[in-house]
Amino acid sequence: MPHDLPKLNAFPVFMRVEDEAVVIVGDGEEALAKARLLGQSSARLRIVAPEASPELLSWIAANGAAHVAQAYARGHLEGAVLVFAASGEEGLDRRVVEDARALGIKANAVDRPELCDFFTPALVNRAPVAVAIGTEGAGPVLAQMIRSRIDRMLPPSLGSLAALAVSFREAAERLLPKGAPRRRFWREFFEGAPARAVAGGDIAAGHEAASGLLANPERAFGHVALVGAGPGAEDLLTLRAQRLLMEADVILYDALVPEAVVAMGRRDAERVAVGKRKGCHSKTQAEINALLVALGREGRRVVRLKSGDPLVFGRAGEEMAALRDAGISYEVVPGVTAAFAAAADFELPLTLRGVTSSMVFTTGHDLKGGSLPDWAKLAISGATVAVYMGRSVAAEVAGRLIEAGLPPDTAVAVVENASLAERRRFHGTLADLPALEQRHDLTGPVMTIIGDAVAGARFDRSEPLAAHRNLAVERIFEGSHA
């Protein structure tokens, strides 16, 4: 151990409080905060509060704590294993601490570190699993910030999974030799099929999966997660998506998924680019399906990372069918689809009371056929339309919708690279939309939103489409007279 490693002045331990008395002295917000913290334990809370606030009284009644409605006296501490002085008055807090020490009881005075025998940590509770973060009273806000980060990392089902593990511990020690076989079993238990079943709320299925794993510990159980990477900004990724990326052996990612999102995966995970972009197809869908099945059969944990949401123009249906037919375990993790990100960039209500209560997600290519698709009729009746991948067919989209009866002055909002810092926003009308097709400087993914609700968007940070439209018309006019 390095000699210059800083020493802890407060050593972290977990103290048994089951059915033990813990006393809190105080009747205001500080006492309530400590009551809520201790209420996560199985201790018997005794709250000394002569004039308890309505909030504290309500909490006491709801949580079965003992309320001593008397002025504080040393006798109120008798039999306690811990004492909290939370009166907010320095003189009383000091007296409570001194009385506790005289009785051989460890005490904590809220926000008075110089009086504390111990410090209460910021707590991540996944009972029976707990993570405690302490700063020796120096930085409670810092401790809370760290707690929130850890809280995001740990699935809510972790406590139930840990409780299930207890029931298998004896069998695992009896049936599996020490070392790699036992470690392999527990890793698969906590990250594989048992964990996924418990996360889905099916404890019985988790027990069955763990039993199968124990009976055949050498078998590799592969799993594929079809994960939505969102529109691009890495902080729009879901917590579940982050956890799966950190657990993945292999990450298969689309071309539109930014490197910053891919980089959130485990460092030693294999990364395979399988994305398809116009004019640059690296793998066919059939090849991707076959690769997912092959990796699953090898027992690999795979994240199939798709831009936006896997179920919105992500061809997830074909991949799920292939995995089902092959008997490979899989799950789908939703992502923030580009339409929602584009609407947020514009502060644009996709539905608006009294204006529209329905939405359509489509691609511009749907209008290239001979007949008008059903969703176009919805647009004419007032639905908000979100058009994915529509820049190259913008003129056709506008022409077909106007021809079908949608007014040319219907509001339009366009976003390139929705949610990213380098996004660009444009606004105008349906009549202006053909100008989008001439914007060859737009190289990122483009989302177009059309409808009456768009008129309620914020346009002070966007460029008018009409300016480029007029420039294109002038060039055409000049060319005809050359």
Side-chain angles (χ1 to χ4, degrees), residues 208-379:
E208 182 179 352
S211 298
L213 185 63
L214 192 60
N216 192 2
E218 298 301 321
R219 180 184 170 189
F221 293 86
H223 181 74
V224 177
L226 308 179
V227 174
E234 56 264 40
D235 57 354
L236 286 180
L237 208 65
T238 65
L239 300 180
R240 186 178 300 177
Q242 287 181 283
R243 287 196 294 267
L244 288 168
L245 280 169
M246 289 302 297
E247 296 169 1
D249 301 312
V250 185
I251 301 170
L252 275 58
Y253 60 96
D254 278 345
L256 293 179
V257 177
E259 174 57 31
V261 174
V262 180
M264 296 176 76
R266 211 173 71 206
R267 286 185 181 181
D268 58 344
E270 181 182 350
R271 300 174 186 181
V272 182
V274 296
K276 300 181 290 296
R277 297 194 73 165
K278 188 174 181 180
C280 183
H281 288 208
S282 60
K283 287 188 182 294
T284 67
Q285 187 60 51
E287 289 172 332
I288 294 173
N289 295 348
L291 181 57
L292 290 172
V293 170
L295 291 169
R297 284 176 172 163
E298 291 174 8
R300 312 288 288 279
R301 289 170 297 175
V302 182
V303 165
R304 172 70 174 101
L305 199 57
K306 297 169 173 287
S307 62
D309 183 277
L311 304 178
V312 180
F313 307 119
R315 305 189 75 168
E318 298 169 50
E319 294 172 1
M320 288 189 291
L323 293 167
R324 276 196 302 269
D325 291 344
I328 304 297
S329 169
Y330 70 87
E331 65 182 293
V332 181
V333 180
V336 176
T337 190
F340 296 151
D345 286 341
F346 261 107
E347 300 178 18
L348 184 164
L350 290 169
T351 60
L352 190 61
R353 187 169 59 180
V355 178
T356 182
S357 59
S358 56
M359 295 172 53
V360 174
F361 292 174
T362 185
T363 67
H365 302 285
D366 285 348
L367 284 174
K368 293 183 71 70
S371 60
L372 199 65
D374 290 340
W375 66 258
K377 300 171 187 175
L378 292 172

Side-chain angles (χ1 to χ4, degrees), residues 77 195 480:
L77 309 184
S480 67

